[in-house]
């Protein structure tokens, strides 16, 4: 990292902590709206059924009930969501605000009760009688693609809502000339985000101004405002989105959900503030799910384990509705699959299935399965060829001499260090010593395993990426920096934090650019009337897009401040001036010396004595800037972990967990470390415990936190994090972004470690999660069929 | 299903040393009464089925789930909420340690964790890391991975024992 930075890179504790740690944060449900009515949704008990009728007579007559509304009602007051980006192989889809004729999953909202109190609204919701005619449910990818499958969306030609493929080079020829073709399979299970704060909103229609004030914890306030305005037939001037403190999101709070749109439409219809807070069951059943993939690879390899060509098939279970284009997540997996390795002959085929389950969306690291698939393939090569998995990684890994490296999909890697992080992790874990421990333990009937997983993490998606993906939209971000007449520094950006801790690191980006102390900068986010139109928080874009734009905007402000300072000091230009901690300094000889001028003096002149400003300098100190990052920025890391598997109980204990990471310039090391720990924890929790379970009839069996298991501190280890800091040469301050790679690495490394531990049983992990029950079942199966090498 | 609006009960609640006379329905949860009737919104509701621990308050000095308790059961008991523990400009020892160790991210689970350990550290001034993890397993955190929370609790314990940390 550059030593020249004074504010960027400081270990500054988070500004938001004081209010949050004392219970003084203001989350959505903490906001009081006198007289607000409460909304409760009636949800389908069936996975797939026609709605023959809805009888709300009894419910509507109950105490406190102001009305019961159906999909047909809402269809008059909202427009439908049509997703039809011009992407080859993607079927267009269209949704109503609530289902009218048919429900598509267990938990689908079919009607909406408005009452004076949440308890009364829920009482009434239970008394709405819906007449259903059940239809067979499609509950797996295999069923969805069967030739006689029932259609989940009857406007489509099949349940294969999206299908793309690509072939670069000649993978078939590589296969023909290969020493060996190694096949591997990877099934990742359905997850859900489970933020501690569930979804909710307050829609406050201001009838006098004909204006919607929408209070909602959301990652992308401006795109949400665009959606709300369009679907309600309002101008964007008639909608203000305000996101208060948010209790976690992880990708779940991006889309405009049907419930939120219904609440907004009904606030306008009833001319009354309305509030909705889903309960945990609704959150687990009906908010958004993620990550259900079946992947297969075929690697053509030389005798030494060099990968000559790679073929990949991905099938995704997308659930019943498309809130995002159906190729949105799987496509990135296919695009970056080859990641840290030198591969040029590559083919992929991606198929996405609609099923009678909750709709899928991006979840922290939407491409999470990537690293498990690639690194599991590497381990499969090592296993089949009897090679050391570290050596197979070494001979294929991209080194400094390979960069910049254009992947077969056209994605360009630059300023990444996969070979270096591999070596750092391998040295830190001491593989040779581990193998000795492992051999000793095996002789005692104990099963230790070592996993490795190198990650290439796509972090910041620039507009160029969206354009080449055929998705309308932008990857830019926007910011303003304002120095007020007192010298106070305010700034704003289109991001919205949901727990990351933006307030300190983004203040540091501004402070660095401007030349003030981070403590003296306040960053305002989440209100669309205050913040500039930006694309919000998703992926790992916060630091590069948000921090980068603020930094560039602050540089612009500094230039003006120094120009005014130069004129106040009677200098011809600002060449020998700088500002540090809000004080103007001048280079005299070899030293920076205080001039006695401070930002407060310059602000006073800019606002209160503008006629004294140099010629051509406009009054005030108000700056805005927008910035479009490169098509894609990448961070990288190598995870290494040691596990012990207890063959009696199936329990997995993690004895050691190391990550060597490289996310370039770090704005704030405290926050970055916290994001890395949190991402690994989420990956491990998902790989070991979490699972959305549907039965064969499409009933959701995991709708409490006692069924959908999120890791407690007893299941998670301490994480040792080792740093490389290779700045990106093409981004402001060399920032790359991060916060998702930990999920990618954790899933891959734990699966590989458990495979290594169970190798004496002739077993390979091909399916997650690795619950004690699933491990015991595998061991039992291995015992009864010794020839079996892999999971069913 | 009861189609009649339930008659509210009159009750007297002692919260953070103050007595409140209230009229609330018999079925109203303590968490909802604290938040809606008393405006004490620091007690968060994460699951309403007693698993996540975000709503943890102290009842007669001991941690309990406000979402599994009816307010009507609380007459004659002393309730303590996060609002009685520190202020933004005067953090408790534990809150200060959570801040320094980055033991919170979104902060939604944090008040419940603070209440759990304000109690625990009084009775167990010198816990091991494993003991802290065990007690913390009653509070779910989706953001941090727990490592920094454990470090913060250990740091706070050391400071409360008067040891430099």
């Amino acid at each position: 990292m550059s030593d020249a930075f004074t504010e960027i890179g400081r270990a500054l504790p988070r500004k938001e902590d004081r209010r949050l740690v004392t219970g003084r944060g203001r989350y959505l449900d903490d906001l009081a709206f006198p007289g607000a009515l409460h909304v409760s949704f009636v949800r389908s008990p069936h996975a797939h059924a026609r709605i023959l009728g809805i009888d709300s007579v009894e419910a509507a007559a109950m105490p406190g009930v102001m009305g019961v509304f159906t999909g047909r009602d809402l269809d008059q007051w909202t427009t439908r969501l049509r997703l039809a980006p011009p992407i080859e192989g993607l079927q267009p889809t269209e949704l109503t605000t609530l289902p009218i004729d048919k429900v598509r999953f267990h938990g689908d909202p079919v009607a909406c009760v408005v009452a004076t109190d949440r308890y009364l609204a829920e009482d009434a919701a239970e008394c709405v009688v819906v007449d259903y005619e059940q239809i067979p449910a499609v509950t797996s990818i295999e069923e969805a693609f069967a030739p006689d499958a029932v259609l989940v969306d009857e406007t489509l030609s099949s349940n294969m809502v999206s299908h793309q493929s690509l072939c670069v080079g000649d993978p078939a020829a590589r296969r023909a000339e290969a020493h060996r073709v190694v096949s591997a399979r990877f099934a990742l299970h359905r997850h859900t985000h489970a933020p501690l704060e569930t979804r909710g909103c307050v829609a406050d229609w201001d009838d006098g101004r004909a204006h919607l004030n929408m209070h909602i914890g959301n990652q992308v306030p401006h795109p949400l405002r665009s959606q709300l305005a369009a679907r309600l037939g309002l101008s964007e001037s008639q909608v203000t989105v305000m996101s208060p403190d948010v209790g976690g999101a992880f990708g779940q709070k991006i889309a405009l959900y049907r419930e939120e749109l219904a609440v907004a439409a009904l606030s306008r219809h009833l001319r009354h503030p309305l509030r909705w807070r889903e309960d945990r069951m609704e959150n687990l059943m009906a908010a958004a799910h993620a990550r259900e993939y079946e992947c297969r690879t075929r690697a053509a390899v030389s005798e030494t384990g060099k990968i000559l060509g790679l073929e990949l098939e991905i099938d995704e279970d997308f659930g019943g509705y498309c809130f995002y284009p159906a190729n949105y997540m799987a496509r990135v997996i296919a695009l970056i699959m080859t990641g840290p390795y030198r591969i040029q002959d590559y083919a992929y085929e991606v198929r996405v299935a609609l099923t009678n389950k909750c709709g899928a969306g991006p979840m922290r690291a939407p491409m999470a399965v990537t690293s498990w698939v690639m690194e599991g393939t590497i381990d499969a090569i090592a296993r089949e060829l009897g090679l050391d998995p570290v050596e197979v990684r070494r001979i294929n890994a991209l080194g400094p001499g390979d960069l910049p490296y254009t992947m077969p999909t056209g994605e360009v890697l630059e300023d990444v260090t996969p070979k270096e992080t591999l070596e750092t992790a391998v040295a830190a874990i001491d593989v040779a010593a581990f193998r000795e421990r492992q051999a000793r333990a095996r002789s005692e009937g104990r099963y230790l395993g070592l996993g490795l997983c190198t990650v290439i993490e796509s972090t910041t998606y620039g507009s160029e990426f969206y354009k080449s993906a055929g998705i309308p939209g932008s990857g830019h971000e926007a910011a303003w920096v304002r120095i007020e007449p007192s010298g106070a520094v305010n700034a704003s950006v289109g991001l919205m934090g949901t727990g990351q801790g933006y307030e300190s690191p983004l203040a540091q980006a501004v402070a660095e650019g401007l030349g003030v102390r981070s403590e003296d900068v306040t960053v305002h986010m989440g209100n669309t009337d205050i913040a500039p139109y930006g694309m919000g928080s998703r992926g790992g874009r916060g630091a590069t897009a948000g921090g980068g734009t603020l930094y560039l905007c602050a540089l612009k402000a500094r230039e003006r401040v120094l120009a005014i300072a130069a004129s106040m000091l009677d200098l011809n230009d600002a060449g020998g001036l700088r500002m540090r901690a809000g004080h103007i300094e001048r280079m005299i000889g070899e030293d920076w010396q205080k001039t006695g001028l401070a930002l407060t003096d310059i602000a006073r002149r800019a606002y209160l004595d503008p006629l004294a400003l140099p010629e051509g300098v406009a009054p005030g100190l108000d700056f805005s800037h927008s910035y479009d990052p490169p098509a894609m920025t990448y961070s990288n890391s190598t995870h290494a972990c040691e596990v012990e598997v207890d063959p009696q109980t199936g329990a997995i204990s993690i004895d050691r967990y190391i990550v060597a990471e490289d996310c370039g310039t770090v704005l704030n090391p405290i926050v970055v470390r916290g994001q890395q720990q949190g991402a690994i924890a989420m990956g491990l929790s998902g790989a070991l415990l979490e699972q959305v379970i549907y039965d064969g009839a499409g009933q959701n069996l995991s709708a409490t936190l006692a069924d959908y298991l999120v890791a407690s501190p007893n299941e998670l280890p301490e994480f040792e994090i080792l740093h490389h800091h290779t700045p990106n040469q093409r981004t402001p301050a060399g920032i790359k972004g991060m916060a998702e790679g930990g999920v990618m690495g954790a899933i891959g490394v734990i699966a590989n470690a458990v495979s290594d531990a169970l190798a004496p049983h002739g077993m390979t992990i091909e399916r997650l999660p690795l619950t004690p029950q699933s491990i015991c079942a595998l061991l039992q199966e291995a015992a009864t069929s010794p020839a079996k090498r892999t999971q069913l | 299903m009861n189609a009649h609006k339930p008659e509210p009960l009159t009750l007297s609640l002692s919260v953070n040393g103050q007595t409140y006379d209230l009229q609330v329905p018999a079925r109203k949860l303590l968490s909802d009464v604290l938040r809606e009737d008393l405006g004490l919104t620091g007690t968060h509701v994460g699951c309403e089925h007693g698993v996540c621990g975000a709503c943890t308050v102290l009842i007669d000095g001991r941690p309990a789930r406000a979402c599994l308790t009816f307010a009507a059961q609380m007459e004659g008991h002393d309730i303590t909420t996060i609002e009685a523990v520190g202020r933004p400009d005067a953090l408790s020892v534990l809150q200060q340690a959570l801040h320094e160790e980055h033991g919170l991210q979104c902060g939604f689970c944090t008040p419940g964790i603070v209440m759990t350990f304000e109690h625990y550290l009084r009775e167990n001034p010198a816990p091991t890391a494993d003991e802290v993890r065990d007690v913390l397993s009653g509070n779910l955190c989706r953001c941090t991975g727990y490592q920094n929370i454990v470090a913060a609790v250990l740091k706070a314990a050391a400071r409360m024992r008067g040891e430099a940390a």
Side-chain angles (χ1 to χ4, degrees):
Chain A
M1 198 180 308
S2 168
D3 295 330
F5 294 136
T6 58
E7 294 295 327
I8 286 179
R10 276 179 66 194
L12 189 65
R14 305 194 322 164
K15 294 182 180 219
E16 43 277 85
D17 284 354
R18 289 183 180 278
R19 67 176 187 268
L20 301 183
V21 84
T22 54
R24 268 74 165 184
R26 291 190 178 181
Y27 301 88
L28 182 83
D29 253 10
D30 305 339
L31 307 177
F33 292 85
L37 301 173
H38 292 253
V39 175
S40 178
F41 287 90
V42 178
R43 294 184 181 276
S44 167
H46 305 297
H48 204 186
R50 294 199 195 288
I51 303 170
L52 302 180
I54 298 176
D55 177 357
S56 59
V57 173
E58 185 192 345
M62 287 173 70
V65 174
M66 310 299 282
V68 180
F69 303 91
T70 65
R72 212 173 287 286
D73 297 323
L74 285 154
D75 205 36
Q76 306 165 58
W77 308 321
T78 54
T79 62
R80 298 180 177 190
L81 173 66
R82 183 167 170 80
L83 281 184
I87 295 168
E88 202 189 328
L90 181 72
Q91 299 199 54
T93 57
E94 188 174 280
L95 298 186
T96 54
T97 297
L98 292 183
I100 295 174
D101 301 321
K102 187 172 104 160
V103 290
R104 297 192 199 165
F105 74 95
H106 179 201
D108 213 352
V110 288
C112 176
V113 175
V114 180
T116 51
D117 163 292
R118 187 177 172 213
Y119 289 69
L120 299 175
E122 291 188 10
D123 286 347
E126 289 193 19
C127 292
V128 174
V129 180
V130 184
D131 188 11
Y132 293 105
E133 181 195 0
Q134 286 196 65
I135 307 170
V138 176
T139 60
S140 69
I141 293 168
E142 196 187 348
E143 281 174 31
F145 292 162
D148 55 348
V150 171
L151 286 177
V152 174
D153 181 337
E154 285 159 24
T155 67
L156 305 189
S157 59
S158 75
N159 290 322
M160 198 182 294
V161 63
S162 182
H163 183 196
Q164 284 92 21
S165 59
L166 179 80
C167 183
V168 179
D170 195 345
R174 298 293 86 75
R175 218 181 322 120
E177 71 203 22
H179 165 70
R180 187 81 66 91
V181 176
V182 177
S183 299
R185 299 189 303 171
F186 309 87
L188 190 58
H189 55 292
R190 184 164 273 253
H191 290 54
T192 187
H193 314 64
L196 258 280
E197 184 195 30
T198 56
R199 293 178 303 160
C201 63
V202 177
D204 184 8
W205 175 254
D206 178 341
D207 205 37
R209 291 168 63 221
H211 192 96
L212 176 69
N213 290 305
M214 188 75 172
H215 303 265
I216 179 170
N218 190 272
Q219 300 171 231
V220 297
H222 286 95
L224 189 81
R225 185 189 71 181
S226 299
Q227 279 281 311
L228 266 171
R231 305 271 316 266
L232 292 167
L234 296 170
S235 137
E236 282 188 280
S237 330
Q238 289 176 283
V239 180
T240 303
V241 171
M242 283 163 275
S243 184
D245 286 325
V246 185
F250 313 109
Q252 197 174 72
K253 298 174 183 171
I254 294 175
L256 172 62
Y257 289 101
R258 297 176 298 168
E259 294 93 337
E260 295 155 357
L261 178 61
V263 171
L266 289 173
S267 175
R268 180 175 60 171
H269 175 71
L270 297 169
R271 300 161 198 266
H272 209 89
L274 250 56
R275 66 189 313 156
W276 169 64
R277 158 67 63 209
E278 73 179 348
D279 65 23
R280 180 55 64 187
M281 185 172 81
E282 293 178 288
N283 180 262
L284 292 171
M285 285 174 75
H289 291 168
R291 305 213 201 295
E292 190 169 2
Y293 295 103
E294 289 175 15
C295 305
R296 294 167 292 278
T297 58
R298 247 186 334 184
V301 295
S302 75
E303 213 165 343
T304 58
K306 190 172 160 28
I307 300 172
L308 310 172
L310 182 72
E311 291 159 283
L312 167 72
E313 290 171 358
I314 303 175
D315 290 339
E316 179 177 5
D317 182 332
F318 210 67
Y321 293 104
C322 297
F323 297 103
Y324 299 86
N327 70 333
Y328 184 69
M329 281 90 75
R331 180 175 188 278
V332 175
I333 297 168
L335 271 182
I336 66 168
M337 178 54 63
T338 59
Y341 299 112
R342 211 180 298 105
I343 297 170
Q344 282 302 320
D345 296 76
Y346 174 61
Y348 68 69
E349 182 173 14
V350 179
R351 308 186 302 170
V352 182
L354 288 187
T355 60
N356 291 111
K357 301 180 186 174
C358 178
M363 175 171 165
R364 188 179 199 168
M367 65 306 203
V369 74
T370 308
S371 302
W372 177 33
V373 173
M374 191 63 231
E375 293 287 306
T377 300
I378 292 267
D379 277 5
I381 294 166
R383 213 164 31 240
E384 289 205 18
L385 271 57
L387 299 170
D388 176 353
V390 176
E391 286 308 318
V392 178
R393 286 176 169 80
R394 280 188 176 127
I395 67 161
N396 288 293
L398 295 170
D402 297 307
L403 300 177
Y405 185 77
T406 303
M407 291 192 234
T409 51
E411 287 296 301
V412 179
L413 293 172
E414 49 193 347
D415 305 318
V416 292
T417 54
K419 201 158 201 168
E420 291 87 334
T421 56
L422 172 67
E423 295 301 344
T424 300
V426 164
I429 206 101
D430 193 348
V431 176
F434 173 81
R435 292 294 174 209
E436 281 175 29
R437 278 202 303 286
Q438 184 183 41
R440 259 200 319 277
R442 279 179 185 170
S443 70
E444 299 161 5
R446 291 170 50 223
Y447 296 97
L448 308 190
L450 172 65
L452 290 169
C453 186
T454 295
V455 175
I456 289 283
E457 173 189 3
S458 46
T459 51
T460 320
Y461 296 55
S463 296
E464 209 179 315
F465 177 86
Y466 289 107
K467 188 173 182 195
S468 67
I471 301 170
S474 167
H476 87 282
E477 195 45 65
W480 58 251
V481 172
R482 274 207 302 260
I483 299 147
E484 308 296 346
S486 64
V489 181
N490 282 312
S492 184
V493 65
L495 305 180
M496 179 58 210
T498 51
Q500 297 90 334
Y502 281 155
E503 292 177 24
S504 290
L506 294 180
Q508 287 173 267
V510 174
E512 185 68 51
L514 182 57
V516 295
R517 295 186 329 142
S518 304
E519 290 85 339
D520 297 331
V521 177
T522 303
V523 182
H524 304 265
M525 283 166 284
N527 182 319
T528 54
D529 288 350
I530 294 171
Y533 197 116
M535 304 316 291
S537 294
R538 57 209 305 172
R541 74 189 300 272
T544 314
T549 309
L550 282 165
Y551 175 70
L552 294 174
C553 190
L555 285 176
K556 216 183 221 183
R558 176 172 73 179
E559 194 182 340
R560 175 83 62 81
V561 166
L562 292 181
I564 297 172
S567 86
M568 291 171 79
L569 293 166
D570 290 326
L571 301 172
N572 289 334
D573 61 58
L577 295 180
R578 72 173 190 185
M579 185 157 68
R580 278 286 185 282
H583 293 277
I584 305 294
E585 298 177 357
R586 185 176 175 192
M587 177 71 88
I588 298 176
E590 301 271 292
D591 290 329
W592 286 103
Q593 297 188 1
K594 289 236 158 94
T595 60
L597 263 190
L599 183 60
T600 49
D601 304 308
I602 289 149
R604 200 176 308 121
R605 173 155 303 191
Y607 282 94
L608 305 177
D609 190 10
L611 297 179
L613 290 170
E615 204 178 318
V617 172
L621 292 169
D622 190 346
F623 308 90
S624 60
H625 192 80
S626 64
Y627 164 67
D628 203 339
M632 186 71 84
T633 61
Y634 288 96
S635 286
N636 63 277
S637 58
T638 299
H639 296 234
C641 116
E642 294 181 23
V643 299
E644 177 163 358
V645 180
D646 181 337
Q648 303 304 316
T649 64
I652 296 164
S653 60
I654 300 174
D655 297 332
R656 196 164 178 214
Y657 199 109
I658 292 176
V659 189
E661 63 84 28
D662 190 341
C663 65
T665 299
V666 167
L667 290 173
N668 179 319
I670 294 178
V671 168
V672 165
R673 180 167 168 270
Q675 289 302 303
Q676 287 164 338
Q677 292 169 337
I680 298 165
M682 184 168 272
L684 291 177
S685 178
L688 293 171
L689 297 162
E690 295 172 31
Q691 187 175 20
V692 176
I693 302 169
Y694 283 96
D695 71 10
Q699 290 287 305
N700 187 316
L701 305 181
S702 50
T704 77
L705 286 176
D707 301 292
Y708 189 83
L709 298 178
V710 172
S712 88
N714 289 330
E715 289 85 42
L716 295 175
E718 301 263 315
F719 309 117
E720 299 169 50
I721 303 178
L722 307 164
H723 305 285
H724 292 247
H725 292 298
T726 311
N728 185 307
Q729 303 299 321
R730 296 212 290 144
T731 63
I735 303 164
K736 290 175 175 172
M738 51 97 230
E740 295 193 320
V743 180
M744 305 172 74
I747 293 172
V749 83
I750 191 79
N752 286 349
V754 173
S755 286
D756 185 48
L758 297 181
H761 292 276
M763 282 166 40
T764 305
I765 297 302
E766 294 187 330
R767 185 171 289 280
L768 298 181
L770 301 167
T771 61
Q773 297 90 320
S774 73
I775 296 290
C776 285
L778 273 177
L779 285 166
Q780 209 157 16
E781 196 181 303
T784 52
S785 58
K788 181 144 190 57
R789 280 189 52 82
T790 58
Q791 271 175 285
L792 271 180
Chain B
M1 182 53 55
N2 182 0
H4 302 290
K5 191 168 178 172
E7 284 304 312
L9 300 177
T10 301
L11 68 132
S12 175
L13 276 190
S14 166
V15 181
N16 300 334
Q18 217 170 320
T19 304
Y20 298 87
D21 293 312
L22 300 165
Q23 289 218 312
V24 296
R27 64 174 174 169
K28 193 158 183 179
L29 300 174
L30 176 60
S31 49
D32 287 343
V33 169
L34 290 172
R35 295 177 48 78
E36 293 168 13
D37 298 72
L38 305 186
L40 299 171
T41 56
T43 299
H44 296 153
V45 177
C47 71
E48 295 177 290
H49 49 254
V51 177
C52 80
C55 68
T56 303
V57 297
L58 304 185
I59 299 176
D60 299 327
R62 304 193 64 82
R65 306 291 207 227
C67 80
L68 295 185
T69 308
F70 293 117
Q73 297 171 291
M74 287 297 102
E75 263 195 326
H77 296 279
D78 287 319
I79 297 156
T80 311
T81 70
I82 186 71
E83 282 83 0
V85 184
R87 292 189 315 274
D89 57 352
L91 301 182
S92 74
V93 173
L94 175 58
Q95 288 167 330
Q96 178 66 28
L98 284 163
H99 172 56
E100 291 173 13
E101 293 296 320
H102 189 20
L104 65 152
Q105 289 184 25
C106 80
F108 201 80
C109 69
T110 310
I113 289 172
V114 170
M115 297 316 287
T116 299
F117 283 96
E118 289 288 346
H119 162 79
Y120 179 78
L121 291 179
R122 272 202 302 275
E123 297 199 345
N124 303 275
T128 64
D130 281 347
E131 286 166 349
V132 171
R133 281 186 178 265
D134 204 37
V135 174
L136 185 56
S137 67
N139 294 80
L140 289 181
C141 168
R142 191 58 160 154
C143 300
T144 64
Y146 305 104
Q147 182 171 346
N148 295 352
I149 304 175
V150 175
V153 173
L154 293 173
K155 186 180 205 174
R159 283 180 178 166
M160 289 158 87
R161 293 194 303 269
E163 293 165 23

